[in-house]
Amino acid sequence: MSEKLQKAREYETREAQLIHEDDRPCFHFTPRIGWMNDPNGFSFYKGQYHLFYQYYPYDTKWNAMHWGHAVSDDLLHWTYLPCALAPDQVYDGFGCFSGSAIELKDGRHLLLYTGVEERTHANGIREELQTQCIAIGDGVNYEKLPQNPVVDGSTLPEGSNPHDFRDPKIWREEDGSYAFVVGSRHADGSGQLLVYRSPDAMSWKLDTVLDRCHNAYGNMWECPDTFRLDGKDVILTSPMEMDAEGLEFHNGHGTLCIIGHYHPETKRMEREFVQAVEYGLDFYAMQTMQAPDGRRIMIAWLQNWGTNTQPPASQRWQGQMTLPRELSIRNGKLIQVPIRELEALRRDRVTQQRVISGETALPGVQGRVIDLMVQVRPVQEGSYQRFFMKVCKDERHYTEITYDPLTNVLSLDRTHSGCRRDIVHERKCLVRDRQGELKLRVVLDRFSVEVFVNDGEQALTAAIDTSQAAQDITFACLGQAQVDVEKYDLVMLEKEKFHD
Ligand code: FRU
């Protein structure tokens, strides 16, 4: 084991003990200690779910990327394993960037990641070289291949640059061969997705340009993923520096879902529908895996480069993962709902049905670790003009969801959640017109609000650092609406937290 990896492992074992359980979310994954961004290597291996993550143990800010590691039986209770990768080679000394994992035919676990090397030239100009590298292991310890990098910039299509060539997502084809999709930058300066193929997962050849941005959706496309779902081919990617488009895409780092058909003859994706993956504030770099029962499950970084709330100085972790979500396609669009495993944590059902106008708290409906279903209906046509719901509320603070049945605009706003940073705090999306009917599922877990709209047609997520004492929830309407509420507390089981 390298000195760097050993140092990271010793540090995390010692320091993570100092973080109190109550100072983390319950079932949203957080780094063992320090900084976390993208989910990596999300896979099922030796009977457990594995999650790796972009990790800098020594600080709550981004720095030389390691890969942290954890395992789970239900995607909700996680056990930390020792840090899996450290930036300890020339080709990855600047960082082990994002990537993915797969079980090889011989039963070993393969990690495919982007190695970043920083070179400073004689004239002082600094450049980053990104290449694709492999580490193979047993689910705990991983060894980098001596022949790394296995794919470098020399394989790129003409005009692409080797500085933006990252985040490979690997899969196995039915014939037993391997493929990965990776983000790159075309000569026009905007993103393209390349597919590489290999018979053995060791020697790789560029196969095709699967799709290209053409400067339409952001510039660089990060963290791509592609899979078949409900008879369609799907590409997910996280574009940098997007230009806002209606309420579908917001400025800056966003998310993109392309639904269509992959044509084996042209080796290209034919697009049928393009949409955002998420409409909230804090969601980026999603990655999926296929569970043994066939479900396509997505997890993402519950944060975004532009909306980063700074943790209080006393907080020793920064960054959370979203709730894992089950994906499907309905009417040609992406649907996402919380994994069904969450329902096993439900306790103490409370239901309330009311006609609501002024701001109302409902008996038994409060809390910060809850699963809350809300259905809003006009009592007669046009009986309300606006619906408001506040969560994580005390006298001063709250996070608000509002819905306008005339324009069908839904908003998630954490302006009053207690964050002191001058950053974006509100996001809106356009929901399907249902004549004033709205269905919400709101999952709260201490430091986040996740909102699923109309059975998963849209989702909006925000990270919050509101004091845990802010437990109240209220509902209000301009006009009158029937509001039906079903609420559960979510209670974790006792599980082993660390396994070194
Ligand atoms: C996305 C990203 C990836 C990169 C990683 C570095 O958030 O920028 O493209 O691999 O983070 O930490």
Side-chain angles (χ1 to χ4, degrees), residues 131-144:
T131 57
Q132 315 318 319
C133 307
I134 286 178
I136 295 185
D138 59 1
V140 179
N141 296 302
Y142 293 83
E143 236 175 84
K144 295 177 183 173

Side-chain angles (χ1 to χ4, degrees), residues 35 37-38 40 54-55 62-63 65 96-99 114 116 130 166-168 220-223 238 240 253 284-285 301 305:
W35 166 271
N37 54 289
D38 317 352
N40 296 154
Q54 289 287 282
Y55 181 36
W62 189 91
N63 206 314
M65 284 291 110
C96 299
F97 276 20
S98 284
T114 299
V116 187
Q130 306 196 333
R166 58 181 174 272
D167 312 335
M220 177 63 188
W221 281 1
E222 299 189 308
C223 303
S238 297
M240 291 167 63
H253 286 73
Y284 195 66
W301 182 33
W305 294 109

Side-chain angles (χ1 to χ4, degrees), residues 49-160:
Y49 294 101
H50 284 248
L51 179 66
F52 300 81
Y53 52 96
Q54 289 287 282
Y55 181 36
Y56 187 68
Y58 308 110
D59 199 350
T60 50
K61 294 189 180 70
W62 189 91
N63 206 314
M65 284 291 110
H66 296 55
W67 274 35
H69 188 191
V71 286
S72 174
D73 295 325
D74 64 356
L75 297 160
L76 298 167
H77 297 82
W78 292 97
T79 302
Y80 293 103
L81 294 185
C83 177
L85 300 177
D88 50 16
Q89 305 293 319
V90 173
Y91 56 78
D92 66 14
F94 187 74
C96 299
F97 276 20
S98 284
S100 50
I102 201 162
E103 179 170 353
L104 291 170
K105 280 168 245 172
D106 63 12
R108 294 176 302 160
H109 203 205
L110 176 142
L111 311 183
L112 176 64
Y113 69 98
T114 299
V116 187
E117 177 185 349
E118 187 182 40
R119 286 189 190 162
T120 309
H121 297 284
N123 57 7
I125 293 192
R126 209 188 124 252
E127 93 174 321
E128 265 177 43
L129 284 181
Q130 306 196 333
T131 57
Q132 315 318 319
C133 307
I134 286 178
I136 295 185
D138 59 1
V140 179
N141 296 302
Y142 293 83
E143 236 175 84
K144 295 177 183 173
L145 293 188
Q147 67 265 39
N148 274 342
V150 291
V151 178
D152 66 19
S154 67
T155 61
L156 287 166
E158 180 91 39
S160 325

Side-chain angles (χ1 to χ4, degrees), residues 392 397-399 413-419 425 463-467:
C392 310
H397 299 121
Y398 57 89
T399 292
D413 184 352
R414 62 151 186 230
T415 306
H416 298 281
S417 67
C419 173
H425 290 301
I464 53 164
D465 47 27
T466 318
S467 143

Side-chain angles (χ1 to χ4, degrees), residues 185-196:
R185 227 187 248 260
H186 184 265
D188 72 5
S190 76
Q192 61 186 357
L193 301 183
L194 309 177
V195 173
Y196 284 75

